[in-house]
Amino acid sequence: MTDEDSEKEPEEQESSRRAEAAARFSEASSRAADATAKAADDLRHRSRRLLDSLSARSRGEGWEKPTGELAKYRSTWRAGMRFVLQRVLFRGVVNSAVSPQVQVHRRVKSIRGPFVLVANHTSHVDAPLLAMSLPWTQGRFLSTGVAADYWFDHWHRRLFVRLMMNAFPIDRGGSRKHAGTSKRLLRSGVPILVFPEGGRQQTGAMAEFKPGAAALALGVGVPVVPAAIIGGYEAMPKGRSWPVPGRPPVRVVFGEPLLGGVEESASDFITRIRDSVKDLYDGHHDEVLGSAVQDEEEDA
């Protein structure tokens, strides 16, 4: 073997090692790409199965049985009382003051089990209006959080909101006495109504949504039902205790249920929820109120 051949042999070995390393890297990259594609397919299939299972009987029954104080929220006789209060007495009052309209996505009617109902907040009548507009199968146990320091401090107020809205107390001013109630209710099969704007609209324009509702739905693993109230602000703007004269139109639209993704954050999910509510609102606005009103809201 010549000196020249001896010099070429290490070069050939190094070249061979590089080729083998490149082949291994290419194979690893291919496996990673295949794994990513499989994960994406699994996520799509999982989301599809979850959405298909919204109407499953087992979904409506496979939740914790509420005990103690929580048992009231799934009381059948209390639900019967709410039916009379919401869908007979309150409906009569609402029909005398405004012209209510309701539109419900077909997938909402198939839901069995708890969910988070998310809506824009236009007036004091939003919660009972949403409750009486939901199909009874989905709405009979619907619960709404109310200020504990006002509604639960006096027995007559507490009795009213519990019978009318199946309400649960929410702490204000830093107290943690009732922390976690909404999550426990969901796990007990009780759907929850949330207004993620944090308060009634000031000008009729929809505010940003806080991520709490999305975090709640993701944490328990329940769907979100987006809802838009169109005409509520125009009928009863902040500062009024009764709707404006003339029975103005108010439409409640329940959209297709949404499910959070496996890797989706609460902030991303609430953005998607708000987009859905906004699309429902914009899609029905002109038909209910006319384009001139929307131009005024956008200017505000």
Side-chain angles (χ1 to χ4, degrees), residues 116-188:
V116 178
L117 175 61
V118 172
N120 58 317
H121 199 5
T122 65
S123 73
H124 279 311
V125 299
D126 289 348
L129 185 63
L130 287 161
M132 80 172 203
S133 300
L134 264 178
W136 180 243
T137 298
Q138 287 71 40
R140 64 178 181 151
F141 295 134
L142 181 69
S143 185
T144 306
V146 299
D149 58 342
Y150 180 80
W151 292 103
F152 276 74
D153 268 4
H154 299 84
W155 70 267
H156 56 283
R157 290 176 184 164
R158 180 170 62 249
L159 181 63
F160 173 76
V161 294
R162 273 191 164 161
L163 289 178
M164 182 69 173
M165 293 304 305
N166 205 22
F168 65 94
I170 292 180
D171 300 313
R172 297 193 297 188
S175 172
R176 301 283 296 170
K177 181 180 178 181
H178 301 100
T181 301
S182 55
K183 185 173 290 188
R184 291 196 298 272
L185 285 171
L186 283 173
R187 286 174 174 164
S188 299

Side-chain angles (χ1 to χ4, degrees), residues 239-275:
R240 290 190 63 92
S241 58
W242 192 256
V244 299
R247 298 185 67 238
V250 179
R251 181 177 297 181
V252 179
V253 185
F254 298 97
E256 183 173 9
L258 304 174
L259 289 161
V262 175
E263 301 288 335
E264 193 170 20
S265 67
S267 59
D268 289 340
F269 192 24
I270 199 65
T271 298
R272 190 155 58 90
I273 293 168
R274 187 186 186 279
D275 289 344

